[in-house]
Amino acid sequence: MTGRRTLALVAASTLALSSCTSLPSYTEPQALRSFVRSTPTEEAIAPVAGQEPDLLLRDFFAASGKPIQNHQAARAFLTPDAARRWDDAASTLILDRIDLNAKAGATQNAISYVVRGTVVGALGPGGVFSPDHGDFEAEIQLSKVDGEWRIDSLPAGTVFERVELRNNYSPEELFFFDPNQKMLVRDRRWIYKGQKSMDTSLLSLLVEGPKGPIAAGVTTEVPVGATFAGNDKGVYRFNGFADLSSEERHRFAAQVLWTLAKSGTQGPYNIELDGTPLDPQAPVLTIDDVAEYNPNATSGSVSPLYAVGNGSLTLVDSSTLTPVAGTLGSSGRVESADISGDYVAGVIVDGEGAGRQSTLVAGPVNGSVESVLQARTLTQPSLESHATALWTVLDGRTIARVARSTSTNELSQSEVDATKIEGLLEPDGEGGEGSSISMLKLSPTGVRAAMVIGGKVYLAVISRPAAGEKMIANIIDIAPSLDNTVVSVAWQLDGSLVVGTANQDAPIWRVETDGSAVTQLPSGNITAPVVAVAASANTLYVTDARSVLQLPINSPTTAFWREVPALQGVRAVPVVGS
């Protein structure tokens, strides 16, 4: 659903936003400045003598992407009175582009412009990006001061183009823990580049804790009230950690070290908690000391490729197909599957139409599988890490989780609280049956879930309201610009999504976890719809209207997809084992 935002100015600056979705508005100046603690390292944009009003206005929007000192660079484009009145921290909107049109009635000393653009998101406290989609419109008035054009009336809040976000901010990652404290989870933030100390900015944010949608699904080893004191002659000093156990200190070390390492800050790292080394046995640490928490641990490993085709699950090896042992390799009725290690979950279908029945089965890849549950339709199963549980959607509406005991292999089913999705599944009021969940894929950490509902891709966080309970929370339309064409989705190891669509001109996309970028992938020889996508550490796989294709990750935009050799002439669904 596309919203419209109209910002208008009458005399004093006023702001009106209206839409079916809403953008955040913040009253505190931390949206962009809470982590900016040093002087800029680049020359600021400034007004040019004799500059025409439209060019000055464009430079103002460019300068608005530089947040230091209450947007001092942007305030230089305002009259002294407007500079005092402008509430730059009210909100921060990111537009795809900015268009200017002069209004009638301009004089030699005064002119007004209507500013329009398409909203792609908002930047909130701590550098959290929130995707959105809607129309922006504002009126800005300029007048001459000592013969030079200056802005004398404008709305509250900051607005700049997406290109300025990319020019002035860097997407970085903080790391928090999944609820089981076994895996590090990425929390993507946008940090201003024009400062000297990216490392201390990130550690300040790490101590502040998770923000935005991901906060509902992660934990941290930072105690309440703890602080980061800064980098003192190469030593990162933290206070308020005295009560942590040795295990908790080690996990906190993993959060700090991987946050620093992923930002490009070179080790080794000297870290002190309350005046003592974080690890008394190793005063200087490297990421090797926390290697078990490597968020990219599987990036260098080879993930086996399987395929579901002609009703059977097969292992794809070079130019040969080997059916797995048992029912899944021989029944001829397999519709979908997921594999983690040596454990498999699959859907077997009997009958058609009203008599259709789908059965979820699970067990060892090359062993005997057991029936778990039944429904008319079941989405492709999605396994948690180490196959501790599997998820599927019954009849397009009911999300089920089946937990597996790793000691006894016993299975127990529970329904996931998905009440926050119900509004997305309701009929449209025009006699339709409403949307359904056609696909659900868990992230590698199990903290997020990507879902395809009614041609859109949604991202949600898996929260734990109480012990043993699971809830789908903080649901976001992560790529509204794809406009109801989404057919399939899969996770990449770096936390991004690969999305297949029915759009013949743009059938395959990469979507960042925070929705800040939706990037078309090479697609010269793909024929939409892309009904299945999968990703290993090094390769992308798709099933288009004709066959199963593969492409190395990070290929140039002109690259062509090639058929998977063993699957030439076979239309199948690729399944990458984890």
Side-chain angles (χ1 to χ4, degrees):
M1 193 159 143
T2 300
R4 178 175 180 82
R5 291 163 179 75
T6 303
L7 291 85
L9 282 176
V10 180
S13 299
T14 61
L15 175 64
L17 287 174
S18 62
S19 170
C20 58
T21 55
S22 60
L23 290 172
S25 179
Y26 305 103
T27 57
E28 296 182 8
Q30 54 180 301
L32 294 176
R33 297 191 297 278
S34 64
F35 47 86
V36 178
R37 296 181 174 87
S38 53
T39 56
T41 58
E42 56 189 46
E43 184 177 351
I45 300 173
V48 176
Q51 195 170 25
E52 293 298 321
D54 60 325
L55 299 180
L56 180 130
L57 192 51
R58 290 197 176 278
D59 281 353
F60 163 74
F61 286 121
S64 295
K66 302 177 182 298
I68 60 167
Q69 298 179 338
N70 297 337
H71 288 90
Q72 183 182 41
R75 290 181 191 274
F77 293 82
L78 311 182
T79 65
D81 183 56
R84 286 191 297 270
R85 290 185 286 107
W86 181 39
D87 180 8
D88 59 316
S91 62
T92 302
L93 298 184
I94 314 299
L95 307 189
D96 187 36
R97 71 174 192 180
I98 291 175
D99 295 323
L100 304 177
N101 294 101
K103 295 190 69 176
T107 68
Q108 290 185 342
N109 296 310
I111 190 170
S112 295
Y113 285 89
V114 176
V115 183
R116 297 183 178 91
T118 300
V119 177
V120 296
L123 203 59
V128 176
F129 184 93
S130 301
D132 210 330
H133 191 67
D135 295 330
F136 172 92
E137 185 173 308
E139 182 179 328
I140 294 183
Q141 299 171 5
L142 294 87
S143 61
K144 281 190 174 180
V145 176
D146 297 328
E148 300 290 345
W149 288 106
R150 292 294 183 266
I151 298 166
D152 65 7
S153 185
L154 75 167
T158 304
V159 176
F160 52 86
E161 292 183 339
R162 179 155 48 189
V163 66
E164 298 302 335
L165 177 69
R166 295 168 178 164
N167 289 342
N168 294 296
Y169 293 80
S170 173
E172 303 290 341
E173 291 176 328
L174 307 179
F175 287 95
F176 300 97
F177 274 100
D178 74 298
N180 295 322
Q181 298 182 316
K182 301 294 185 183
M183 305 178 73
L184 287 174
V185 181
R186 305 168 193 270
D187 182 0
R188 185 174 163 100
R189 307 290 186 91
W190 287 85
I191 313 299
Y192 180 56
K193 295 177 182 178
Q195 54 187 322
K196 297 177 181 178
S197 51
M198 180 69 74
D199 56 347
T200 57
S201 295
L202 290 171
L203 294 183
S204 294
L205 289 174
L206 185 69
V207 170
E208 290 179 12
K211 294 183 183 295
I214 194 62
V218 296
T219 64
T220 181
E221 292 298 350
V222 178
V224 176
T227 60
F228 172 53
N231 185 334
D232 182 13
K233 299 178 181 179
V235 180
Y236 295 105
R237 300 187 185 278
F238 298 84
N239 297 315
F241 289 76
D243 294 333
L244 262 60
S245 67
S246 59
E247 292 81 6
E248 291 168 336
R249 292 169 76 95
H250 184 67
R251 286 194 293 268
F252 176 66
Q255 289 185 252
V256 172
L257 268 57
W258 283 110
T259 294
L260 290 174
K262 289 292 290 180
S263 73
T265 303
Q266 300 295 316
Y269 310 100
N270 194 331
I271 303 169
E272 291 189 359
L273 305 184
D274 301 294
T276 62
L278 191 156
D279 184 351
Q281 305 302 318
V284 177
L285 301 172
T286 70
I287 55 175
D288 291 337
D289 295 303
V290 288
E292 71 271 32
Y293 295 116
N294 184 351
N296 302 315
T298 57
S299 296
S301 62
V302 178
S303 300
L305 176 64
Y306 295 83
V308 175
N310 296 322
S312 297
L313 176 64
T314 57
L315 175 64
V316 182
D317 184 13
S318 183
S319 59
T320 61
L321 297 177
T322 305
V324 301
T327 303
L328 292 176
S330 60
S331 72
R333 296 175 286 118
V334 179
E335 182 178 66
S336 62
D338 192 24
I339 296 171
S340 178
D342 61 356
Y343 198 80
V344 61
V347 173
I348 295 177
V349 176
D350 293 290
E352 297 180 354
R356 174 189 172 102
Q357 179 174 276
S358 302
T359 302
L360 177 68
V361 298
V365 172
N366 284 299
S368 177
V369 295
E370 62 177 296
S371 176
V372 180
L373 56 83
Q374 292 182 327
R376 183 173 176 274
T377 65
L378 293 168
T379 60
Q380 178 184 2
S382 187
L383 288 163
E384 293 183 11
S385 177
H386 305 296
T388 54
L390 60 93
W391 295 55
T392 187
V393 182
L394 287 67
D395 299 325
R397 302 184 71 87
T398 303
I399 300 176
R401 178 179 183 267
V402 179
R404 180 177 76 97
S405 169
T406 54
S407 58
T408 66
N409 280 331
E410 290 184 358
L411 302 174
S412 59
Q413 179 187 344
S414 62
E415 187 173 325
V416 177
D417 183 351
T419 53
K420 296 186 182 299
I421 297 179
E422 292 176 355
L424 301 175
L425 306 179
E426 293 299 322
D428 56 13
E430 299 179 1
E433 296 181 354
S435 299
S436 63
I437 306 171
S438 57
M439 187 168 289
L440 183 151
K441 295 288 186 71
L442 295 176
S443 66
T445 63
V447 170
R448 294 180 172 100
M451 296 172 288
V452 177
I453 304 175
K456 293 175 175 284
V457 59
Y458 292 89
L459 195 63
V461 172
I462 311 298
S463 68
R464 290 187 176 184
E469 296 182 359
K470 298 284 186 177
M471 174 187 286
I472 303 292
N474 299 338
I475 303 158
I476 297 173
D477 181 357
I478 199 68
S481 61
L482 296 186
D483 197 24
N484 302 320
T485 63
V486 176
V487 178
S488 55
V489 66
W491 289 91
Q492 295 197 84
L493 293 179
D494 64 1
S496 64
L497 296 172
V498 182
V499 177
T501 76
N503 185 335
Q504 186 59 57
D505 296 326
I508 186 78
W509 297 80
R510 172 191 169 103
V511 179
E512 300 303 332
T513 314
D514 62 355
S516 59
V518 180
T519 308
Q520 185 177 351
L521 295 175
S523 58
N525 58 325
I526 291 180
T527 302
V530 176
V531 298
V533 290
S536 69
N538 305 307
T539 308
L540 298 177
Y541 301 94
V542 304
T543 301
D544 70 353
R546 297 171 180 165
S547 59
V548 182
L549 306 172
Q550 63 182 4
L551 181 75
I553 288 177
N554 297 325
S555 293
T557 56
T558 55
F560 280 88
W561 294 72
R562 301 182 62 222
E563 282 192 78
V564 175
L567 294 171
Q568 290 183 358
V570 179
R571 193 159 185 264
V573 174
V575 179
V576 174
S578 60

